[in-house]
Amino acid sequence: MKDKYICPSLLSVAKEKRIEVADQLLKMGIKWIHYDIMDNKFVNNKAIEIEEYVEIIKSTSSHLSDVHLMVKDPFIYAEEFKKYATCMTIHFEALTRDKILEFVQKYQELTWIGLAIKPGTSFEEIKDIIHHFEVILVMSVEPGFGGQKFIDYSIDKIKLISNFIKQNKLSTLIQVDGGINDLNAKKVFNSGANALVCGSYLINNLNEKTLKKLL
Ligand code: DX5
Ligand code: ZN
C-alpha cells in the first residue's frame, strides 16, 4: 500500500466540532486520520481522550486511524485503543528497547504498530528495530503542540530511513508529523515519506483546494 496519504490531525479542531470535521474530511476523500493522544507527562499537553476517540470512530465512516501515543506508558492506552485503532504508534523515547519490543510482541496481531521519533532521535538509534514496524513516524517538530515550524533537518533523516527501507525491501511506511504545509509537502514526499500528518495548515483552510496543494 505504498501510496501518498495526507493524514489530517484533529488536534487544532475545537472539541465539539471534531466529528463534523472528520466527516467532512472523509467526504473530501481522506482515507487516513491521525489522532494525537497525550498524557501531560511525556509532553506538556492533553489532546484527544480515549472516549472522544471512540466516539469519533463510531460516528464516522470507516477509515484508517492511527493513534499517536505521546505518552509515558503506552501499554495502559493500548488496552483501549487495540479495539478500535488501525495503527498504534509509540514513542521511541518513552520506553526501553526491551519494552518497545514487548509492546510489538503483545499487540502486533491486533493492530499495526508504529514507532515515532522526536527531532533529536537519529536514524542510527532505530536502524536495528525498523523492521518490526508497519510505520515509522518522523516528528518534524517537538511533539506536544500544533502550529510549529517544520524542522528542515528532518528531510535528511527521512531520506536515510527511506533508503534503508528500500535496501532491505521492507514494507514499512514513513509518516511525517509537524509543520506540514503547501510549501514543504512536495519536498517531504520526494524525500521518501508515504504519509504526511497535517494539522493547522489544513484545518485552518479546510477545502479541496488546500488538500490538492498538499498532494
Ligand atoms: C504535535 C502533533 C501533531 C500536530 C501537527 O505534537 O503530533 O500531530 O497536530 O500539527 P501541525 O500540522 O499544525 O504541525
Ligand atoms: Zn501527531
Side-chain angles (χ1 to χ4, degrees):
M1 62 167 278
K2 296 228 166 174
D3 220 331
K4 283 202 314 187
Y5 293 92
I6 296 297
C7 319
S9 154
L10 303 177
L11 185 62
S12 61
V13 179
K15 198 174 170 166
E16 61 281 6
K17 287 253 173 196
R18 284 185 183 142
I19 294 180
E20 188 187 319
V21 170
D23 244 343
Q24 194 181 345
L25 287 162
L26 295 168
K27 286 196 181 109
M28 283 164 65
I30 287 293
K31 302 273 182 279
W32 182 340
I33 297 182
H34 175 87
Y35 295 89
D36 289 301
I37 311 298
M38 306 181 189
D39 62 355
N40 213 7
K41 289 184 195 134
F42 181 74
V43 290
N44 231 348
N45 198 3
K46 269 264 180 195
I48 297 178
E49 305 286 340
I50 295 178
E51 301 73 29
E52 193 193 347
Y53 169 79
V54 173
E55 207 189 320
I56 301 173
I57 290 292
K58 286 187 172 164
S59 319
T60 52
S61 57
S62 109
H63 57 274
L64 209 157
S65 72
D66 78 289
V67 291
H68 177 192
L69 296 169
M70 287 168 271
V71 302
K72 274 201 163 152
D73 187 351
F75 286 89
I76 302 172
Y77 291 78
E79 282 309 302
E80 284 305 313
F81 284 116
K82 69 180 185 188
K83 301 174 218 156
Y84 307 99
T86 313
C87 179
M88 300 197 290
T89 297
I90 56 175
H91 259 274
F92 175 76
E93 304 82 6
L95 300 173
T96 62
R97 238 157 236 269
D98 286 351
K99 280 279 170 197
I100 289 173
L101 296 181
E102 186 186 321
F103 189 94
V104 173
Q105 283 284 319
K106 189 161 181 193
Y107 297 109
Q108 67 184 351
E109 300 296 322
L110 303 172
T111 69
W112 295 359
I113 311 292
L115 184 69
I117 54 172
K118 295 211 268 186
T121 302
S122 68
F123 157 68
E124 280 75 20
E125 288 172 83
I126 60 159
K127 193 174 158 178
D128 61 322
I129 52 172
I130 289 179
H131 63 281
H132 290 290
F133 299 92
E134 266 81 32
V135 176
I136 297 294
L137 171 56
V138 177
M139 289 296 303
S140 41
V141 298
E142 285 300 331
F145 297 90
Q148 303 180 69
K149 192 178 172 303
F150 182 88
I151 298 173
D152 286 323
Y153 65 69
S154 315
I155 294 285
D156 290 338
K157 206 194 300 189
I158 298 163
K159 285 183 184 161
L160 288 171
I161 299 171
S162 171
N163 287 338
F164 180 85
I165 288 172
K166 280 186 200 137
Q167 277 159 13
N168 291 280
K169 300 191 169 53
L170 303 176
S171 56
T172 309
L173 299 172
I174 301 177
Q175 191 182 32
V176 180
D177 184 8
I180 296 292
N181 57 36
D182 58 334
L183 303 175
N184 58 29
K186 202 181 201 128
K187 195 170 168 193
V188 183
F189 273 131
N190 287 343
S191 65
N194 308 100
L196 306 187
V197 175
C198 192
S200 40
Y201 172 75
L202 180 59
I203 299 302
N204 292 341
N205 320 271
L206 190 50
N207 57 54
E208 306 268 355
K209 219 169 132 191
T210 315
L211 195 55
K212 271 207 187 107
K213 283 194 209 163
L214 290 167
L215 281 163

